[in-house]
Structure formats: structure tokens, C-alpha cells
Amino acid sequence: MEEAVVLKNITKRFPGIVANDRVNLQIQKGEIHAIVGENGAGKSTLMKILAGLYQPDEGEIYIFGKKEKIASPNKAIELKIGMVHQHFMLIDRFTVLENIILGAEKKKGIAIDKKTCRQTIKKLLDLYNFNLDLDAKLEDISVGHAQRVEIIKVLYRGADILVLDEPTAVLAPQEVDELFVNLRRLKEEGKTIIFISHKLDEVLNIADNITVLRRGKAVGTVSADSVTKEELAKMMVGKPVLMKLDKAAAEKSDVKLSLHNIVMKGNGGKNSLNGVSLEVCGGEIYGIVGVEGNGQKELAEAVIGLRQDYQGDIKVCGKPIHGLSIKQIRDSGVAFIPEDRHRQGLVLPMKVWENSILGFHRKDKFKKGMFINIKKAEEFTLNNVKEFSIMISSIHQEIEGLSGGNQQKVILSRELSQEPEVILAAQPTRGLDIGAMEFVHRQLLQKRQEGKAILLISADLEEVLSLSDRIGVIFDGEIVAEFAPEEKTLEDIGVYMLGAHRKAGESA
Amino acid sequence: MLTAELLASSLRMAVPILLTAIGAVYTERSGIVNIGLEGMMIVGSFWASVGAYFYGPFVGILFAMLAGAFLALIHSVTTVTFGVNQVVSGVALNILAYGASRFLSLVIFGKATTSHHVSGFSPIDVPILSDIPFLKLLFTDISPIVITALILVPISKYIIDNTVFGLRLRAVGENPLAADTLGINVFAMRYAGVIISGMLAGMAGAYLTMEHTGMYVEGMTQGKGYIAMAAMIFGNWTPTGTLWASLLFGFAEALSLRAGEGSIIPYQFIKMIPYLLTLAVLTGIVKKATPPAASGEPYDRSIG
Ligand SMILES: Nc1ncnc2c1ncn2[C@@H]1O[C@H](COP(=O)(O)OP(=O)(O)O)[C@@H](O)[C@H]1O
Ligand SMILES: [Mg+2]
């Protein structure tokens, strides 16, 4: 069988890190080849090399048997390699059509020949049985459709080798199924597909062969029929992994956080929160799932007081907090683990110890008159570093230099050490490797044991299912369903996440 | 009083703003904020006097556009290639333009603040339009630059909305990383956008010198470069919107000239109208404005 892509000893270094370390990879024509690895394993870097965005420091690339140097994205397109990036490369304010043709426009004089472009795209849509409204603005279509735009964009350029970087990360379960149907259809038409993921179930479902990356090295290629999930996980992490969390029963106490009918205006006349009500008791983890952009971010910002422009009541331990400053809300016992730790959780150029007391620096224990009591702050930090086993060279190191997992541990140690009653955790494990993820999960479960109320917002369905006592599905700024994790299947939850239950109800 | 004469005066006042504001649409749509438009108008007004004085109006306008383009090239190098803060670069260019024009004026004309008298294009009548009674005053005896400015509106609209160049220009202003992955040269597109704005601002300067005053006078742009930016924002980053906004500003200026005589409101206050309008626009009385998503952000592939 012909080999579509062969990588030989590809090495790529970034300052202070070898992202790809002598990686060898062989991909057959017409197969779906998965590349799995933890966050930071070097998957995206390897694929960006293939797409001409990065240049390898060493190594050789063969495309359909010919040695090639992929010096630019244009060259990759010439070689019929197309990449669907982890973060979509789309323009919100353009129409679907404009997004597809951009950079490969068919011309009539200096003008774009939209008619011919449209015909070409229509043919592709028919061939692969895709469904897309070409005149819709991108900002108005769903994530699943946006991804289809990306795929068509690549096909429109005549790609034979498709690279999809974590395409399922943003999709609801049904959309994943649809994507897989589409991918199989592409495979039937003879396309070669490279599929990046760190979700093992999916990979085992869709791929023919699987290559595992660990810390920049390719540790092996296996056929999907001949390997189990446990074996793959072990290859990925380098040691056996516990796939199940053990969650002890916890004593449920009174309501510590309650939201009543929260309404918040969003962009373009639509409400970003549309009457959210929920209650979280002490000793309970309440998980919120939903497709990103359905109000999760706004919900978190309302609770911590970053946004005050809402109607409705939020109460912490029975006391209303609407109108209080963020400091007052935090003082009343709310801890916040923000979704974007670089923008909200940390001040990157500041030192580890400074970040460790950030926001609490006005507390008496860290003060000496009008100055910060540096000795106390350092002691406090050192204590945290030990307790949370944070890997650093010194507490005087700038926090930028830490890995994502260790940065998250600093936030966690800071927030949890202030004895909060309510913990608001937004995407607490995003971008973390399996080890750090386990750590965060154990911390949250421990706080639950201690009787704290935890509101967990996460895009990771499995995480929410395994941690939560109760789950609320958010769609269009509303909690559209609430249930215990064992009550519903993944498919049921997906229906709610997409709002499909509502459409079904309307048409009936 | 809303007479045809007042309208004609509004149009004349609007033209330098309109030309510069159309230029501003190009640069902003490519994602580069160009505060230096004021400076580009200044060098345009000065070099127009040089070109027109020695070689006639065509060379005057050519010099003006080249001078504006040269300043714009500097802005591109600093902001696009080196990622310098776009506002800082623009402000520096404004100061440079002011000083350089003063210096060169002294060298060339022997006077720091004015040039010799120069003559512009001969005025023309617009066929058809000048025969319509009400529009007669508006379209007889007007400068060819006025016509050019008005024609540039639909042309620019067509270019930005319908051509390959326009699509790519908008793409780098909205999401440069996405454009880059599609093989579009982000830097080249942004250079083009900025340089077009410099040429048009230069032309606007030439209009002031050759068609309006008949000579270069230091400070003659009177902040019209900033007003043009306000007009572009008011016009929601589109050529057509910019036309209406520029006419509004032109009207305010014409009004302030007219109301000056014999009015009970002190002359100085009336003079303030266009600037107050600018302030109001820029401080966000206009809420619906939607700037290009990547406006003002330098692009660097490794960061993106
Ligand atoms: N542009 C860059 N500059 C510096 N380091 C980078 C850059 N891109 C990726 N890295 C680093 O390279 C490693 C591999 O990253 P990446 O390829 O994105 O991993 P994956 O896609 O498997 O999660 C990470 O440690 C990441 O921090
Ligand atoms: Mg990645």
C-alpha cells in the first residue's frame, strides 16, 4: 500500500522545550490515522509542521513517496495537505461562502466570481453529503457547522490529506457522531485522514491505526483492533492509570449558593443568561455542562461579581451578593478558579509567591502596617508548595515559567487555603495532563467531603459525570435539564446540550 | 438656512474629510489604526504646494500622494513589520510631519509658515447634474478633486465588498492568523491598506492647498485627519457610511463659517461644532459601531 505521509526523525525545539523529539510516523493512503497524547505531548506542533506553519529543526518529510520541504502553508496546500486547526481559523463576520473561498478565490477580472465558487462548493457538499447554508454569517452558525466549514474549506482547496486537530473537543456527542459519519464518507472517497485527539474512546471508534506521542516522542503505532483503552492510556502516560475516580459519599448540608432567575443581556439583543436558577448545597458538587458559549462564562462572572448587569438574586450562605464588590464577594467565602488562568487567575510576569497571595494580600496575616509581610507570604507559599506538591525551582521564579498543571496548582492552593464555603470552578482541568487533572479532581472531592459547595463548570462531559452529584445542562442561557449523573446517558445529555429536545417539542 | 449655497459649501468642506476617511477605511479594515492621517494630510498639503508651484497642479497632486504614501510606508514598517504600538507610531508621524513641513517650507519658500501662491485645477461642470436646477450650484464650477472623491466612494465599496483584494484585506483585519494559514500574505495586505490611506490623505492635503486656499499654510489641516477618523467610525468602517458622515462634518463646518457673522452666540463657540461632534462620535455616542476584530493588534505568527 502507498504511504501518503512519512515523517523521519522530526525534531522541533521551542525555547526550553523539545516539542517533537525524533518523531517517526507512517500514514497509509486512505486510512484514518489517529495521533493521541496528553496535552503538551507535541501533537499540534507535529501537525503544524506538516501544514507548513512551523519548520522542523531536523528530519525529513515524504509526501506520497517524494521528499518535500513544506516551507509555507501555501506549499502544504500545493501538496494537497489541508489542516483543520484546534482553534478554528474562521472569520466570524464573513459568510460561510467567503470563509471557504478566502485565499483560493475564483476570479473574473479583479472581482470574485461568486457564482462559480458557489457551484464548486455545492458539488463538494453533494459529493460528501454535507449540509451547509453558504450565505449564513459564521457568527450565527453552530460549532458543529463551523467545523464542517473548515472541512469543506480544506476540500475546496483540493486536499487529499486532511489533518484534524482535536476536532471533537468542542462538539456535543451527537455532533461527534455526525463528524464521524462525515469522516468515514471522506475515507470512502479515498482521502487520507489524520485525526488528533486525547479522548481514547473516540480514537478507538474512528481510527484504523493509532500513534501515541508522549513528551514529544512517538512511543509506538498500534492498530485500533488490537489494543484496549487501558493499554493506550498506559502508553500515553507511561504508567498504568486509574480510569475511575473513587468518590465517597458526602454529607449534604444546607444550600450555600443559590441563583434565582438570573437574566443577563448579551450581544445582539439575545440574552446570554435567560432565567438561570439553581441551588448548590454544602457537600455537593453541582456540574454544569453545555456547548461552549451558552452562558457558562457569564454565569461564572455573575457569581464572582465580575459582571453586575444582571437581574435576579444570587445568595451566598443566605446573603444576597448582587451589588457587592468582588472583594466583598470573595470575603464572604467564594473561591474562584477561573476558566482562563492566564488572563484571570494569575499575573504571569509576577513571582510565584506574589501570585500565591494575590487578592488576599490585604488580609491582616499578610500585612505589616501598610507593607506586605514578605516573610509571612513566603512561608505561606512554601507551605502551599509542599502541600500541593507544586514543582518549581524557587518561589521567586516568575509564574510564566511553570507548566500549566503547576500554574493551576498555585491557583488552587491560593483559593482553597482561604477556607471558602463556595467554590466556583470554571474549566478547572482545561489544558492539564492526566496527572494534574487527577490532582485537581481529588482536591475538589476533598472539599466536597469537608462540606463545601462546589459549582463546577466544564466542557469535559466525562469530568462532570464522574465528579458531580447533580448536573445541570445549560443551553441558550437556561438550565434546560437537571438530573443526577446516573439518570441519563451521554446521548440524552447531548440532546439537551444541542437544544434538540426543544425543537422536537416545538414541531410535535 | 438650508440653502443650496450652504450645501455646496458643505460639500467643499466635506471633501478633504471624505478623502482621508475613505483612506482610513482601507487601513482600518486591514487591522491597522492610522492616527498619522493628520500628518499625512500635512505633508500632502505642503508637497502639493511645492509640486504645483514649480510644475503645475498634476505634479502637485502627485507629490502630495507620494509624500502621504511615504509617511504611510514608515507607519507600515514600524507597526506591521516591527509591531510598534500603532497609536504611538501615528502620533510620532504627526509630529514629524509638522516639523518637517515647517523646515522644508523655510528651505524651499524662505518662509516657515506659508508657501507662495499656487494655482489648482480649473473648475469644471458636471454634465447632466449641473443642469438640474436645485443641484446646479452644487455641481457647477467645482474642483475635479471633488468629483474624484465622490467617485471613490462607490469604487471603494466595490473593491472592498467584491474583489479578491477587498476580501483578503478584510480577512487580515478580522483574523490575521486565519488568513495566514490560507496562504494570504498578511504583511503585504496591511502595507497596502496603510499606503492607500496615506495616498488618499495626501490627496486631501493637496485639495486644501490647491483648491481651497491657493497656498500652503502651516496648520491648515486643523485636525481634519482626526475628524476623518471620526467620520470613518461614524460611517461604521464602510465607504458609503463614511460619505454621509463626512457630509455631516462638512455641513457642521460650513455652518460654523456662516453663523459666524452677526450671531448672538460667540463666534468661538460656533467654531467648536465640528470638533464637539468629533468628540461625541469618538467617545461612543455611536454604539452600533463594530470595528474589525483584529484592529490595532500587531500580528506575529508565533504568538497567534
Ligand atoms: N509557539 C510555541 N512557542 C513555544 N512553545 C510552544 C509553542 N507551541 C507549542 N509549544 C510547546 O510545545 C509543547 C507541545 O505543544 P503542542 O504541540 O501544542 O501539544 P499538544 O497539541 O499535544 O497538546 C508544549 O509544551 C507547548 O507549551
Ligand atoms: Mg494541541
Side-chain angles (χ1 to χ4, degrees):
Chain A
M1 212 191 220
E2 197 187 350
E3 272 150 355
V5 178
V6 175
L7 301 182
K8 282 195 181 152
N9 287 317
I10 294 287
T11 297
K12 174 74 187 171
R13 297 183 196 91
F14 288 117
I17 189 161
V18 185
N20 293 143
D21 189 358
R22 282 163 292 161
V23 173
N24 288 301
L25 183 63
Q26 289 175 14
I27 292 165
Q28 311 298 328
K29 184 172 182 297
E31 71 164 331
I32 299 182
H33 194 113
I35 296 180
V36 299
E38 291 194 83
N39 280 302
K43 306 179 296 287
S44 295
T45 305
L46 193 64
M47 291 305 117
K48 282 181 186 167
I49 289 174
L50 203 54
L53 278 169
Y54 291 156
Q55 296 310 308
D57 297 317
E58 284 156 35
E60 292 165 359
I61 302 174
Y62 296 83
I63 306 294
F64 294 115
K66 253 187 75 194
K67 188 174 165 183
E68 302 282 1
K69 184 171 169 350
I70 309 176
S72 70
N74 271 340
K75 178 72 188 180
I77 294 166
E78 225 175 87
L79 293 170
K80 300 194 176 300
I81 301 169
M83 178 153 174
V84 175
H85 291 268
Q86 188 167 1
H87 305 284
F88 291 162
M89 297 290 178
L90 295 168
I91 295 170
D92 285 347
R93 225 174 286 158
F94 280 16
T95 63
V96 169
L97 181 93
E98 285 175 324
N99 266 293
I100 293 172
I101 63 174
L102 180 63
E105 308 88 351
K106 300 201 189 321
K107 289 171 234 183
K108 206 155 67 185
I110 57 163
I112 300 168
D113 186 355
K114 285 213 171 141
K115 219 164 128 202
T116 312
C117 291
R118 186 179 296 267
Q119 281 165 358
T120 314
I121 298 170
K122 276 259 157 44
K123 263 187 224 144
L124 283 173
L125 292 177
D126 289 345
L127 177 61
Y128 298 110
N129 220 347
F130 279 27
N131 183 11
L132 268 180
D133 174 6
L134 295 182
D135 297 310
K137 281 259 166 69
L138 206 85
E139 56 197 357
D140 297 330
I141 67 178
S142 71
V143 186
H145 279 136
Q147 188 166 60
R148 246 177 250 174
V149 175
E150 282 280 34
I151 294 174
I152 289 292
K153 197 166 107 181
V154 164
L155 295 172
Y156 176 81
R157 284 162 173 71
D160 284 330
I161 302 168
L162 275 80
V163 180
L164 292 103
D165 195 355
E166 307 231 8
T168 59
V170 290
L171 301 183
Q174 272 80 358
E175 290 176 314
V176 172
D177 292 343
E178 274 175 41
L179 172 70
F180 284 3
V181 170
N182 288 336
L183 291 185
R184 293 204 174 96
R185 183 94 186 88
L186 289 168
K187 181 180 148 179
E188 276 168 34
E189 293 294 325
K191 306 283 179 192
T192 307
I193 294 166
I194 307 178
F195 180 92
I196 316 291
S197 181
H198 61 243
K199 296 188 188 157
L200 302 178
D201 290 319
E202 282 173 14
V203 162
L204 288 168
N205 178 349
I206 187 80
D208 300 309
N209 288 300
I210 304 168
T211 297
V212 180
L213 283 190
R214 186 168 78 224
R215 301 216 177 141
K217 290 197 173 85
V219 290
T221 300
V222 289
S223 134
D225 310 326
S226 65
V227 69
T228 66
K229 196 175 163 187
E230 281 70 25
E231 285 163 351
L232 265 184
K234 191 175 160 216
M235 282 173 83
M236 253 167 81
V237 185
K239 59 172 193 233
V241 204
L242 276 176
M243 301 299 279
K244 268 264 168 288
L245 279 166
D246 41 348
K247 189 165 102 181
E251 195 102 342
K252 221 166 114 170
S253 64
D254 339 329
V255 175
K256 293 208 165 159
L257 173 69
S258 76
L259 283 74
H260 183 69
N261 216 356
I262 306 298
V263 177
M264 191 192 283
K265 285 232 160 54
N267 298 332
K270 247 172 80 177
N271 283 341
S272 51
L273 293 178
N274 219 344
V276 173
S277 298
L278 59 88
E279 290 183 337
V280 193
C281 301
E284 184 186 44
I285 298 184
Y286 187 106
I288 290 188
V289 294
V291 175
E292 225 159 303
N294 273 289
Q296 294 94 321
K297 187 160 157 277
E298 289 79 4
L299 183 65
E301 288 177 345
V303 172
I304 192 64
L306 269 166
R307 287 189 66 170
Q308 301 278 2
D309 54 335
Y310 60 85
Q311 283 138 33
D313 292 322
I314 301 181
K315 287 190 184 136
V316 173
C317 303
K319 281 199 245 41
I321 60 162
H322 197 172
L324 296 188
S325 71
I326 297 178
K327 179 169 183 298
Q328 286 168 323
I329 293 174
R330 291 172 75 91
D331 286 345
S332 69
V334 181
F336 181 40
I337 301 163
E339 160 178 353
D340 185 344
R341 57 181 162 269
H342 289 170
R343 285 210 195 123
Q344 295 191 334
L346 300 167
V347 182
L348 291 177
M350 276 171 40
K351 299 185 166 95
V352 172
W353 75 262
E354 291 170 323
N355 273 291
S356 286
I357 61 164
L358 208 63
F360 300 108
H361 52 280
R362 281 170 297 206
K363 290 215 161 162
D364 284 338
K365 60 178 170 179
F366 297 129
K367 269 198 329 202
K368 197 160 66 182
M370 58 182 285
F371 296 101
I372 288 175
N373 188 338
I374 295 183
K375 219 174 121 214
K376 281 266 182 62
E378 287 179 354
E379 267 169 28
F380 170 77
T381 309
L382 282 172
N383 201 25
N384 279 348
V385 166
K386 204 160 12 140
E387 195 178 327
F388 285 76
S389 41
I390 304 173
M391 307 289 285
I392 49 171
S393 49
S394 147
I395 59 167
H396 296 283
Q397 187 183 0
E398 278 150 20
I399 203 136
E400 277 176 308
L402 270 55
S403 74
N406 283 306
Q407 288 176 344
Q408 190 72 336
K409 282 183 179 177
V410 171
I411 295 181
L412 227 53
S413 71
R414 176 183 73 209
E415 297 293 324
L416 301 187
S417 64
Q418 305 301 326
E419 294 304 320
E421 287 305 314
V422 172
I423 298 164
L424 175 58
Q427 319 289 356
T429 58
R430 175 171 287 176
L432 302 189
D433 58 43
I434 293 186
M437 204 184 250
E438 251 187 48
F439 183 88
V440 172
H441 288 167
R442 268 189 279 120
Q443 286 293 326
L444 290 178
L445 285 174
Q446 177 173 349
K447 289 292 153 189
R448 166 176 171 268
Q449 229 66 46
E450 290 170 15
K452 316 294 185 196
I454 298 164
L455 182 61
L456 169 70
I457 301 174
S458 174
D460 186 341
L461 250 181
E462 267 180 48
E463 171 173 274
V464 175
L465 282 171
S466 63
L467 286 178
S468 310
D469 300 293
R470 244 164 356 121
I471 292 175
V473 182
I474 194 166
F475 173 77
D476 243 357
E478 261 178 80
I479 302 284
V480 290
E482 204 182 271
F483 44 82
E486 59 281 356
E487 284 172 14
K488 295 267 195 271
T489 64
L490 270 176
E491 277 63 38
D492 292 340
I493 300 176
V495 170
Y496 289 118
M497 284 170 69
L498 292 169
H501 64 292
R502 202 182 284 173
K503 281 170 205 136
E506 274 164 17
S507 60
Chain B
M1 239 200 320
L2 196 69
T3 60
E5 197 205 334
L6 181 59
L7 279 184
S9 164
S10 304
L11 180 61
R12 283 197 301 275
M13 294 296 170
V15 164
I17 297 171
L18 175 60
L19 277 170
T20 310
I22 294 174
V25 171
Y26 283 95
T27 175
E28 289 259 343
R29 278 303 188 75
S30 80
I32 302 290
V33 175
N34 188 354
I35 299 264
L37 286 170
E38 174 75 9
M40 294 167 201
M41 270 179 109
I42 294 179
V43 296
S45 62
F46 173 73
W47 281 98
S49 75
V50 178
Y53 181 72
F54 291 106
Y55 309 102
F58 282 102
V59 177
I61 210 164
L62 181 71
F63 274 24
M65 289 174 74
L66 285 177
F70 177 70
L71 223 57
L73 180 67
I74 300 178
H75 192 55
S76 320
V77 173
T78 57
T79 61
V80 181
T81 306
F82 293 110
V84 171
N85 181 298
Q86 297 171 11
V87 174
V88 172
S89 167
V91 170
L93 287 177
N94 287 341
I95 300 170
L96 174 71
Y98 176 82
S101 299
R102 191 182 170 88
F103 171 70
L104 290 171
S105 175
L106 201 59
V107 172
I108 296 173
F109 298 109
K111 317 178 261 193
T113 56
T114 58
S115 71
H116 302 318
H117 184 81
V118 299
S119 50
F121 293 103
S122 10
I124 53 171
D125 296 349
V126 184
I128 306 167
L129 285 177
S130 57
D131 296 336
I132 303 170
F134 183 72
L135 297 176
K136 191 171 175 359
L137 215 54
L138 269 170
F139 290 104
T140 42
D141 244 15
I142 59 172
S143 158
I145 300 183
V146 176
I147 318 273
T148 311
L150 290 176
I151 292 176
L152 272 175
V153 174
I155 291 181
S156 295
K157 181 176 161 49
Y158 184 79
I159 290 178
I160 287 172
D161 290 349
N162 294 313
T163 66
V164 175
F165 173 80
L167 186 73
R168 293 179 176 193
L169 188 83
R170 285 185 280 138
V172 303
E174 293 286 344
N175 188 343
L177 182 63
D180 193 10
T181 59
L182 295 173
I184 292 169
N185 188 334
V186 177
F187 289 1
M189 294 312 298
R190 291 189 158 182
Y191 266 72
V194 177
I195 288 173
I196 290 173
S197 79
M199 294 197 316
L200 291 178
M203 193 196 285
Y207 174 82
L208 288 175
T209 297
M210 294 167 20
E211 312 291 294
H212 203 76
T213 322
M215 59 162 60
Y216 159 75
V217 182
E218 187 179 69
M220 73 192 303
T221 55
Q222 289 180 341
K224 287 198 174 59
Y226 303 112
I227 296 183
M229 292 195 69
M232 177 272 302
I233 293 169
F234 202 8
N236 208 10
W237 285 263
T238 63
T240 344
T242 292
L243 170 66
W244 301 124
S246 301
L247 286 173
L248 181 67
F249 282 112
F251 178 70
E253 223 171 310
L255 204 62
S256 74
L257 283 180
R258 216 136 297 238
E261 307 118 26
S263 135
I264 39 163
I265 308 167
Y267 161 78
Q268 284 83 354
F269 281 95
I270 299 203
K271 268 285 192 202
M272 282 161 65
I273 295 173
Y275 303 98
L276 289 178
L277 196 59
T278 310
L279 262 183
V281 169
L282 288 181
T283 46
I285 279 186
V286 192
K287 276 258 172 69
K288 71 173 177 64
T290 42
S295 172
E297 286 170 24
Y299 175 62
D300 178 349
R301 186 184 286 172
S302 64
I303 293 171

